[in-house]
Amino acid sequence: MQFGHFDKGTREYLITNPHTPVKWINYIGTRQFGGFVDHTGGALICKDDPAYNRITKYIQQMPASDFKGETLYLRLHTSDGYRLFSPFFVPTLDPLDRFECHVGLGYTRIISEFLGLRTDVIIFVPLDDHRELRNIHITNISDKPLSVDAIPLVEYTHPDALMQFTNADWLPQTMQSRAVDDGILKILVQYPFMNRDTKINYFTSNLPASSFDTDRKKFLGEDQSGTFKSPLSLFQPELNNSEALRGDNIAALLHPMGALQPGETHRLILQLGQDSSIQAARPGIEKYRQPQAVDAALEEMRAFWDGYLASLQVDTPDENMNAMLNVYNPHQCYITKTWSRYLSYYQLGMGSRSIGFRDSSQDLMAVLASAPQEGKDFIRTLLSFQKRDGSSMHQFNPLTMEGNVGHSIEMEDRPHYYSDDHLWGILAVTAYIKETGDLAFLDEIVPFYEKDKGGNPIEAGSVLEHLKGGLDFTRHDLGGHGLPLLGFADWNDTVNLPTGAESLLTANLYGKALLEMIALLEHLGDKSVMNRMFIENQSLQIQGAAHEYLAAYDQMKSRFESFAWDGEWYLRYFDAQGNPLGSAKNTHGQIYLNGQSWPVISGFASPERGRQAMDAVYKRLNTKYGIKLTVPGFNGYDPKYGGVTTYPPGAKENGGIFLHPNPWAMIAEAILGNGQRAYEYYAQINPLAKNDMIEVYECEPYVYAQNILGDEHPQFGLGRNSWLSGTASWCYQAATQWILGIRPEFAGLRIDPCIPSVWNGFSVVRRFRDRWWHITVHNPHRVCKGLAKMTIDGKEVPGNLIPADLPGDEHQVVAWLGQ
Ligand code: GLC
């Protein structure tokens, strides 16, 4: 069953039925000002931080029929009195004649038709601005005049999002609103009392309002029998002009539009923003009351996304893959880079999750081609949450810049660190340098997290020293087999074993990070300028360091190979007593996906064992909807294993199709040369393929979800936790760098595809190191992998590496797969 379709021309997804099984959302603005908009016009908006500076009250858990954050009512004057409806469907739930929600790049547009009125609303935040705009056109599409009023509505929350729900005494006493006359227009101002003189929310429009309300009680009806579906005040000629002195604050403006003639359109522009004072806000308010300014802002938004997406465009034989890689996947990657795991329809943004060190390190790897500067700035921030011992804080709040140790704080007898966090940072930094060639970044000084009493960092080090610190931490944090200790958890947050357990995933991630460092140091060995820097820093001698890391790599590899093989696949953990998990001997959790893919990625697996392990994945873990994380799922809570056993079998990390590690299986298959299987794993989780089965899948088909229920669960195939998942970044990396094989390296761009042998080829346009590369790959012999020949600008070149410093802005690269 479908609820909409993809529109190639506009790069939108078009929802045509408001009854989606769950709300489908889109993001507007940035973390500096923005949030998400659902497909029925509800919006969760915040400035700088959804936990501590939230503006609209959006309660994800309330039924879909409920009004959330913002809406719009239209009121027709008829001979029988007022006829009220919402062009967004919610909250009046009328059977609209037409409903379209266009999920666009940086905006959501809702077009609906009902009772002879067409309403077209574009919701967005102008680039680099601090206001939500709702650009509304209301047209009379009937053949007779229609007298209509437009009443937009915002419901406010206290800025402290959690406090809104935990305090019903102090909090409502502080919430106040007032109306400011602005010539013939009105500005409704709202604040918690303590912010009155420093930080106010405002709501205003470009048309005169004859009345307003800011007190929810008054708006709904004093006797409290009014509902948002049918507010009593909208059945009287005017609103109550209530200025809330306390309680539940809203902003409602009644705009009488008079009689619209057939074909006539009125344009209403709404602004919801926050500023230090109304005086400070006025110039911006004036600006965006002008329709030309709104049009120009929309144009700028379009230009931003044109530029962003142009950095990598593909043309393969798979249309779904093209649509995903050219539009929807990079869009999602930018959103995950912006919001980490902080705010979505599923991540409530109340502060218990926020910017994850591990998560964001991985997310930003997928924006580097399009937004390298943003990537670099973010890496710098992340590294400032690394501690002097090399480990990292697990997450941090972007407003207070306070780090924390996540859920590990809840168990006193367990370590308060995650064994993998800091290692992802190494992958992020090396990915950034491979993309940009910006070696000077390694020399930049970034503070470590620890602060003195005055809040100043106690120590700082170069980016390179941060990387080295991360490797050193893991190198010395070992358990009984000489393998890395698990800490509270590794990537799998939910397997929390008693102190002393070892993680084989962390062993492999460490191996991969070592490989990255070795390659970096080897590259630096060619650069005399960097060579000098090293000596000045007294940090490392390049040659010596590369050897040292190689020795560390070999040592961990040999421990891994001695202890981690279970017979048909690799183990995943050892508990503190040295018992294996992820073994055929276990009753539950016999085999783990990451246990198999990562030894291939780290190079610890021999080709034979790697193949055997990945075949076991195919046999034991693959389903038509994606690869499960582990089987069989645990069936009952067991404190020995922790979080994983809180889920029923088949859900999330407990035997669910946890999508984030699926692309690691694609990468492992590409490394092993099985292009068919790498692609099969890609295609089977492509969200676009879900469009015809929404009754099973339920979530947005234009983004990856974090998880799909596995086949041990009766609701096999049901997706949840869409948008904010590492799946976005890694599917993008797996598809572009490993399946299509266009892979940045320190010295240039590697062309190393691993595609299904039935493909006759593909082409890619990619921006890399300020040059445009038009790459065409032919597959005349129908193989998966291996270049027979490559030409750059018509000249045959040896090997498959495009040198980064080739003069000229644009180049044609043609490659032929085959012997
Ligand atoms: C969630 C977390 C991520 C973790 C994963 C597996 O997606 O955000 O950090 O790695 O779950 O537990």
Side-chain angles (χ1 to χ4, degrees), residues 627-647:
I627 313 169
K628 293 179 282 188
L629 191 63
T630 178
V631 288
F634 293 90
N635 197 351
Y637 179 63
D638 185 341
K640 186 167 154 233
Y641 300 106
V644 65
T645 62
T646 60
Y647 296 108

Side-chain angles (χ1 to χ4, degrees), residues 159-355:
D160 185 325
L162 188 57
M163 186 85 80
Q164 173 68 44
F165 301 108
T166 55
N167 188 311
D169 169 29
W170 166 80
L171 187 138
Q173 301 290 7
T174 71
M175 295 285 277
Q176 298 196 335
S177 292
R178 62 195 162 86
V180 176
D181 281 328
D182 196 24
I184 53 165
L185 306 181
K186 285 219 156 33
I187 307 175
L188 299 180
V189 181
Q190 195 279 335
Y191 41 79
F193 185 69
M194 64 190 278
N195 289 354
R196 183 191 61 188
D197 305 323
T198 52
K199 208 192 275 181
I200 52 127
N201 299 319
Y202 61 85
F203 183 65
T204 189
S205 69
N206 65 329
L207 298 181
S210 56
S211 56
F212 63 88
D213 264 324
T214 67
D215 186 335
R216 190 177 80 177
K217 230 171 138 188
K218 295 263 167 44
F219 177 74
L220 293 178
E222 280 264 50
D223 62 2
Q224 308 230 18
S225 58
T227 61
F228 278 119
K229 187 172 174 12
S230 190
L232 297 185
S233 62
L234 289 180
F235 292 89
Q236 63 197 28
E238 292 295 343
L239 298 177
N240 308 289
N241 294 337
S242 60
E243 291 182 296
L245 300 173
R246 64 174 307 286
D248 296 305
N249 285 203
I250 59 162
L253 287 171
L254 193 154
H255 302 93
M257 299 207 158
L260 257 68
Q261 298 306 312
E264 191 181 353
T265 299
H266 278 197
R267 185 168 179 181
L268 172 66
I269 299 166
L270 306 174
Q271 302 187 38
L272 172 67
Q274 188 183 87
D275 218 318
S276 54
S277 67
I278 204 64
Q279 288 70 24
R282 245 178 239 276
I285 288 178
E286 280 309 321
K287 174 177 169 185
Y288 285 107
R289 278 184 179 148
Q290 310 308 317
Q292 309 85 292
V294 176
D295 296 342
L298 274 167
E299 211 29 67
E300 273 176 35
M301 173 87 72
R302 209 180 312 279
F304 168 80
W305 279 103
D306 284 348
Y308 187 93
L309 297 178
S311 296
L312 206 172
Q313 288 287 296
V314 310
D315 186 8
T316 77
D318 176 354
E319 280 301 327
N320 280 355
M321 186 178 202
N322 297 343
M324 208 55 201
L325 293 181
N326 293 338
V327 182
Y328 305 101
N329 193 180
H331 180 215
Q332 186 182 1
C333 290
Y334 193 66
I335 298 301
T336 57
K337 195 281 296 170
T338 305
W339 291 98
S340 195
R341 302 298 169 270
Y342 210 174
L343 185 70
S344 76
Y345 195 66
Y346 305 92
Q347 306 288 357
L348 303 186
M350 305 257 179
S352 74
R353 304 283 316 262
S354 46
I355 311 299

Side-chain angles (χ1 to χ4, degrees), residues 341 347 353 358-359 362 394 420 490-494 653 658 660 706 724-726:
R341 302 298 169 270
Q347 306 288 357
R353 304 283 316 262
R358 160 207 297 148
D359 296 315
Q362 295 172 70
H394 189 54
D420 63 321
D490 59 24
W491 172 89
N492 189 333
D493 275 337
T494 65
E653 284 97 330
F658 209 89
H660 181 163
Q706 182 214 55
L724 300 185
S725 162

Side-chain angles (χ1 to χ4, degrees), residues 492-705:
N492 189 333
D493 275 337
T494 65
V495 175
N496 315 121
L497 303 172
T499 307
E502 290 164 291
S503 161
L504 294 165
L505 174 62
T506 302
N508 283 292
L509 184 57
Y510 171 63
K512 174 69 177 161
L514 282 167
L515 285 183
E516 294 294 332
M517 274 299 267
I518 294 162
L520 173 64
L521 292 174
E522 280 169 359
H523 180 64
L524 290 178
D526 292 339
K527 308 268 165 183
S528 54
V529 52
M530 294 306 295
N531 208 335
R532 223 179 37 242
M533 176 199 98
F534 270 85
I535 291 161
E536 273 166 19
N537 277 352
Q538 305 266 307
S539 56
L540 297 163
Q541 299 284 332
I542 296 177
Q543 296 297 333
H547 281 133
E548 191 187 321
Y549 286 143
L550 204 53
Y553 178 85
D554 287 341
Q555 188 182 44
M556 189 55 72
K557 179 178 177 168
S558 91
R559 284 177 198 157
F560 183 79
E561 277 300 66
S562 321
F563 300 122
W565 187 247
D566 188 52
E568 285 179 67
W569 57 78
Y570 287 106
L571 305 171
R572 180 65 174 81
Y573 308 87
F574 286 109
D575 70 15
Q577 285 70 45
N579 302 310
L581 276 80
S583 160
K585 291 189 214 71
N586 299 129
T587 317
H588 302 288
Q590 292 178 340
I591 172 172
Y592 283 81
L593 170 55
N594 292 334
Q596 319 317 316
S597 55
W598 270 90
V600 177
I601 294 172
S602 69
F604 283 180
S606 65
E608 302 72 44
R609 281 186 176 177
R611 184 67 275 151
Q612 211 181 333
M614 289 308 294
D615 284 347
V617 164
Y618 195 65
K619 204 164 115 209
R620 302 272 324 250
L621 296 174
N622 194 36
T623 76
K624 60 181 174 179
Y625 298 137
I627 313 169
K628 293 179 282 188
L629 191 63
T630 178
V631 288
F634 293 90
N635 197 351
Y637 179 63
D638 185 341
K640 186 167 154 233
Y641 300 106
V644 65
T645 62
T646 60
Y647 296 108
K652 298 262 286 188
E653 284 97 330
N654 189 28
I657 299 163
F658 209 89
L659 287 164
H660 181 163
N662 275 240
W664 293 331
M666 299 167 205
I667 295 172
E669 288 293 354
I671 291 172
L672 294 171
N674 191 338
Q676 187 53 43
R677 205 173 273 171
Y679 172 75
E680 182 181 340
Y681 286 157
Y682 179 81
Q684 74 189 5
I685 64 162
N686 189 331
L688 275 80
K690 308 285 182 205
N691 201 37
D692 296 328
M693 46 166 286
I694 297 300
E695 72 282 6
V696 177
Y697 179 68
E698 297 202 347
C699 283
E700 299 94 325
Y702 43 88
V703 288
Y704 290 100

